[in-house]
Every structure is written in C-alpha cells, then in structure tokens.
Amino acid sequence: MKQTIEIPIEIIDNFLLIPIDENTTENRIEIINSNKKTLISFKAKLSFKNRQYYIAVNVKKYIGQEIIFTIYNTTLDQNFDDYILQRPYHIYNYNEKYRPRYHFTAPFGWINDPNGLYYKNGSYHLYYQYNPYGIKWGNMSWGHATSQDLIHWTNHPPAILPNDLGDVFSGSIIIDKKNDACFGKKTICAFYTSAGDKQVQSLAFSTDNGMTFKNYANNPILIDENEKDFRDPKLFWHEPTDKWIMSLATGQTITFYGSENLIDWNKLSVFGKGIGCHKGVWECPDLFKISNDKVTKWVLFVSINPGGPNGGNATQYFIGEFDGNKFTPDNIDYPLWLDYGRDNYAGVTWHNNPNKKPTYIGWMSNWDYANEIPTNYFTNAMTLPRTIELAKNGNSYCLKTQPIKELKYLRTEKSHIESKLLQKSILVPYFFDDNLGAYEILLDFVIIDQSTSNVNLTLSNSVDENLLFSFDIKNEKLTIDRSKSGLINFSKNFAKDKIIAPFPSQIKHQLKLFIDKASSELFINKGRIAVTNLIFPTEPYSSINLEVKNGSIDITKFTIYKLK
C-alpha cells in the first residue's frame, strides 16, 4: 500500500546520502523545515534493498536544524530512515571506465544541453541541463562549471534549481552592462524556460558573478498560450537597433523578440516555414554574427530532434542577414549540418567571447539512447569546444568548425609514422605504453592515383573490437561503422545503421581525429566536415590500420599524440 511517510532528521553534517536503485519506482521527495516550508524538492528512485549508488543532498545551511524528509506515494516504510546517511563530504568515482579524460563531465548525474555560456573576468562559464539527484533525465536544473582555458574545469554547486513554475530548461546568459533590467550594472542575467504545466520564459539574476541566482519576482516574463513547444531563449545585444534580441524555439520555427529592458518583450518575426529540416521539433536556437576577411554574415543554429542526417538529434544552421527584426537566409541548398555524427546536439556559443572567432560547445549524446549508455555515476559529456569560421563554398558560404587550439597543450607522448607512398596497407600495431584511450591522430595524405577508390582507417584492440572510417573517394562519401566498436547492445538504436557523411572530392586531405575513451571526433580538411560519435570499447583501441584500395596515396603526415 502506498503512503506518505515523514522522517524527522536532525542535520549534523553537510550532506544527506540517499540510497538509489534505478530499477524501482520514482518518488517525489520534499525536505521541509519546522515552519512547514519546503526547502528542497526533487524526484528520485529510492531503495534500501538494492542500492546502486547514493545521491548527495547538500544540507549544509540547515546544520543544527530538524528537517522532515517527506516521501510521497511510496511503498517504503518509516524504517527507511536507517538507510539515510549523513557525511561531511561525498566523493564520486572519477575513475570509472568510460569517463573521458579531457572532455567535460559532471562529477555525478545526468547532463544534457549546454546553457548560459558566457565569459567574464578571465573565466569561461558553462551551465548545463543537470539532474543532481540521478543518472537519468529528470529534476532539470542548471549545473555550473568554470574554466580559464575551456579544457580544465572547476565544478560548482547547481546554479538554478526547479521552482514553483517548474523545471529549469535550457536558456542563456547575458551581462547587463548598462543596467537595462535595473538589477545593477554588469549584473549576470539568466533567461531560461520554466517547464511546468506549460512552457514559459523566466529570468534570474546574479550579483556574485554567476555562482548563485535569484529569480525575478514577476516571472514569467514571456508567455504564449498557443505554443506547446516554447523554449530555449538565446539573447544578444543588437547595436544598430539598440535593443536586446531573443531567439526562441517555437515548435518548428524560431521566433524573434525584442526588448529594451530585458523584461518587456515584443514579437518581431518568425523564421523557418518551408526551409531546412522539419522532421522533428526545433530547439536551442542561437543567432550570431560572423565575419571573415571579405564579408560579414549572420548564422542561425537550430537543433532538431529527431531529423538528423544519421537519425535522432543534430544541429542544422542557416546563413544570411539579420536587420534587427527579421532573419533572411541566403539562397543555399538547406539543410546544412554543423556535425554529421550521431552525438553532437544543442550546441550554442559563448556570450562576451574574448576570441575573434565564435566558440561553441555541444552535448555529446543522442536522445535515441542517451538514458541507456553504459556509464555508472555520470551520464553524458560535452563535445570539445570548437571555433567557428565562415568559409566560401562555391558561390555561397558554409561554416568550418575546429577544436580549440589550446588542446595542443594536452599532448605528451608522440608516435610518428614516416611519410611514405602507400599502395596497400600499413599497420601500427602498438603506439603507446599505458594507453588510456585518450589520444589525437593527425593524418594528411595526397591521392596519387586517380583510380584510388577507398582509404580505410581502422582503430582496433586485442579483443577484436574496431571502429572503421571508410573514405569513399569515388562517391565522395565517408562511412563510419561502429557495429563492432565495443559495447553496443545497451540500446537497439546505438549501432543499427552505419553513419554517413560527405567527403568532398579533392587531391589533398587533412584528417584530425580525437579519441577520448568513449568518444570519437573527426575533423576533415580544417573542419569543413565534422563527425562526432560515441563508442564504448571494452578496452582501449591500441592499433591503427590504414588501407588503400585500387590505387595509392602519399602519406605526408601521420602522427599520434597521447593526451593527458
């Protein structure tokens, strides 16, 4: 029989450790004080019989008080209090098998979309969709981390937690330099979607450089009764029209709003009907300006789920002009894809970025299987941060994305294969001692014989697992096969199809491939094509085979760097 149980607990330490079993039924939990005020509220799968792990609930500010740990609609009984522990700290296992070495992950719990990216006073801030109370999607909050180089991250407590309006979905942050919102000059203002009975837009502000936030008293600031999918606000200041612009995902369109004070918003225009991919819901828009030596353009990122070029989620983009009210796309054969792999989604750029080139980061997973991947205490990671460049593509423009240059400082050992003419194959059977599955491969080659049909690059290990990259020269196509890459049976959707990407015809090719335990990120010809995919080998790939079919190539660079 289900019931509500109330467990009084005198708080004597910083954390309550709560036992969790992902195979049980989810419970709603509230921590309530003596005045009947709810201090913390969340959902979790409680268990005392088959505990898989503990979640750590920070109750430091309530030390010395008695709280009521309330579990609603549960089959547990009052004896559950024997299984709730109190500890001064809780350390999660960072050494689990598939935790990457140089990609961002949360210390514990589920993550998805990057949110609220901004730079200030020497620090890059990364917020992200976060479940601090479990390794599956739920309890959507904003996690928080900072970095000085976009590689080494310092984790902070969750910045924005669910409230009366619902969970805290994706959004963005701006620095209010002129005090337009009247919270003070240079206040950090966060805009996010409150997801309760309906999706509305909310505002929170921080006066301690983004460490903690206070919700605006008159939230929500933007409502649309007619839109079910109404989310993911991304803001920037538009200097020519002297106003703030908000891009908002509205079903299968992007709606632009304008404001002078960040609180009162006017609808400007709607983009997206009859253009691009419409196989799924549009999400996580980002409109920004980009220039090269000859021209300035506006770029609009739109993530879509499903509808990606290889199934599940992906990010498409549009190039055009923005006049402060309306986005007008260039006449290009859309959709254009930011990444052709299965595992790069919801990417957005940093606000107030100090670098000349826009820089973005994405969520490295796919909704087709994100809740099922074979990790233990964390679920999902972010992609490598990447710079964005505007490039000519015939009579139109496209984007090039490349991993940030700071990654070269992670290089330690180097394995160099001599340049040579290759007509059949070359095997590098063993390239590092203490191979932890974190390395970078640089491969440049020239097609010597025009009859060359394929160049195949295969990573493999001692238990016959392999990841195959097949470059089809004749048909201008890359095929990636992860059907034998390692663990794949955790989801029927993970490796059921091969992954296809363009491989445009040219004589010289440059490949840059990053492997980090459970991920592969390939950048072709200085980032004209990017392909990101998860992998779960049961041991690190330790050998490389390069094979040429029906012709020959000249290898001009073949270098492997171990990354720390």
Side-chain angles (χ1 to χ4, degrees), residues 171-357:
S172 61
I173 280 177
I174 57 91
I175 302 170
D176 185 8
K177 296 180 180 179
K178 300 179 181 179
N179 194 26
D180 290 331
C182 297
F183 301 134
K185 286 187 177 181
K186 299 183 179 180
T187 295
I188 307 301
C189 293
F191 298 81
Y192 64 87
T193 299
S194 293
D197 295 334
K198 58 185 177 181
Q199 295 180 356
V200 297
Q201 311 319 311
S202 292
L203 164 63
F205 60 95
S206 172
T207 55
D208 59 0
N209 203 27
M211 292 298 150
T212 61
F213 284 83
K214 181 178 181 180
N215 282 298
Y216 174 56
N218 294 321
N219 279 334
I221 58 170
L222 186 58
I223 299 173
D224 189 324
E225 297 290 353
N226 299 317
E227 287 287 355
K228 174 186 174 184
D229 297 304
F230 184 67
R231 58 179 177 263
D232 310 337
K234 185 68 161 70
L235 276 70
F236 70 93
W237 176 255
H238 189 252
E239 190 71 37
T241 56
D242 201 34
K243 65 175 178 280
W244 294 97
I245 302 295
M246 177 193 292
S247 307
L248 201 64
T250 48
Q252 289 195 338
T253 59
I254 303 301
T255 302
F256 299 106
Y257 293 84
S259 175
E260 296 179 356
N261 63 7
L262 293 168
I263 293 172
D264 301 304
W265 292 89
N266 299 311
K267 186 174 180 179
L268 302 174
S269 62
V270 179
F271 168 79
K273 294 181 180 178
I275 189 171
C277 180
H278 286 270
K279 295 179 181 179
V281 176
W282 284 22
E283 298 184 304
C284 303
D286 188 2
L287 178 64
F288 58 92
K289 188 164 61 174
I290 190 169
S291 302
N292 61 18
D293 293 336
K294 296 181 179 180
V295 68
T296 295
K297 288 287 183 179
W298 286 84
V299 172
L300 177 63
F301 282 2
V302 177
S303 290
I304 184 171
N305 178 45
N310 283 289
N313 52 232
T315 300
Q316 60 183 323
Y317 67 89
F318 304 87
I319 297 176
E321 308 295 335
F322 182 71
D323 63 4
N325 292 284
K326 181 181 179 181
F327 177 76
T328 304
D330 288 353
N331 186 16
I332 302 174
D333 188 15
Y334 296 106
L336 301 174
W337 298 105
L338 192 62
D339 191 305
Y340 283 86
R342 291 274 277 153
D343 297 300
N344 182 358
Y345 189 59
V348 287
T349 58
W350 262 272
H351 168 69
N352 199 40
N353 181 19
N355 302 313
K356 181 178 179 181
K357 298 175 184 177

Side-chain angles (χ1 to χ4, degrees), residues 28-32 38-42 68-72:
R28 183 167 68 90
I29 299 104
E30 288 187 343
I31 295 177
I32 302 171
T38 299
L39 306 174
I40 302 172
S41 177
F42 60 96
I68 305 298
F69 189 90
T70 306
I71 310 171
Y72 296 94

Side-chain angles (χ1 to χ4, degrees), residues 68-237:
I68 305 298
F69 189 90
T70 306
I71 310 171
Y72 296 94
N73 199 28
T74 181
T75 56
L76 298 171
D77 58 35
Q78 202 73 20
N79 292 329
F80 186 73
D81 66 339
D82 294 336
Y83 300 90
I84 299 176
L85 309 179
Q86 295 199 52
R87 294 290 185 270
Y89 56 86
H90 185 56
I91 299 175
Y92 295 104
N93 180 13
Y94 260 84
N95 297 317
E96 63 173 288
K97 187 170 188 176
Y98 293 119
R99 189 183 287 274
R101 294 181 63 81
Y102 57 89
H103 287 73
F104 175 80
T105 59
F108 166 83
W110 163 282
I111 69 172
N112 56 285
D113 307 356
N115 298 150
L117 310 183
Y118 79 96
Y119 175 87
K120 185 180 180 184
N121 297 335
S123 290
Y124 294 90
H125 291 254
L126 166 64
Y127 301 83
Y128 50 91
Q129 289 288 275
Y130 183 43
N131 183 3
Y133 305 115
I135 60 172
K136 307 297 183 183
W137 185 91
N139 300 302
M140 283 295 94
S141 311
W142 276 25
H144 184 206
T146 55
S147 173
Q148 294 183 338
D149 60 6
L150 293 174
I151 299 172
H152 303 93
W153 294 93
T154 299
N155 291 290
H156 304 288
I160 309 177
L161 294 169
N163 52 58
D164 292 343
L165 290 177
D167 281 359
V168 181
F169 276 16
S170 291
S172 61
I173 280 177
I174 57 91
I175 302 170
D176 185 8
K177 296 180 180 179
K178 300 179 181 179
N179 194 26
D180 290 331
C182 297
F183 301 134
K185 286 187 177 181
K186 299 183 179 180
T187 295
I188 307 301
C189 293
F191 298 81
Y192 64 87
T193 299
S194 293
D197 295 334
K198 58 185 177 181
Q199 295 180 356
V200 297
Q201 311 319 311
S202 292
L203 164 63
F205 60 95
S206 172
T207 55
D208 59 0
N209 203 27
M211 292 298 150
T212 61
F213 284 83
K214 181 178 181 180
N215 282 298
Y216 174 56
N218 294 321
N219 279 334
I221 58 170
L222 186 58
I223 299 173
D224 189 324
E225 297 290 353
N226 299 317
E227 287 287 355
K228 174 186 174 184
D229 297 304
F230 184 67
R231 58 179 177 263
D232 310 337
K234 185 68 161 70
L235 276 70
F236 70 93
W237 176 255

Side-chain angles (χ1 to χ4, degrees), residues 15-18 54-59 89-90 92 108 132-133:
F15 292 95
L16 293 180
L17 302 190
I18 315 299
Y54 285 102
I55 59 172
V57 181
N58 190 335
V59 290
Y89 56 86
H90 185 56
Y92 295 104
F108 166 83
Y133 305 115

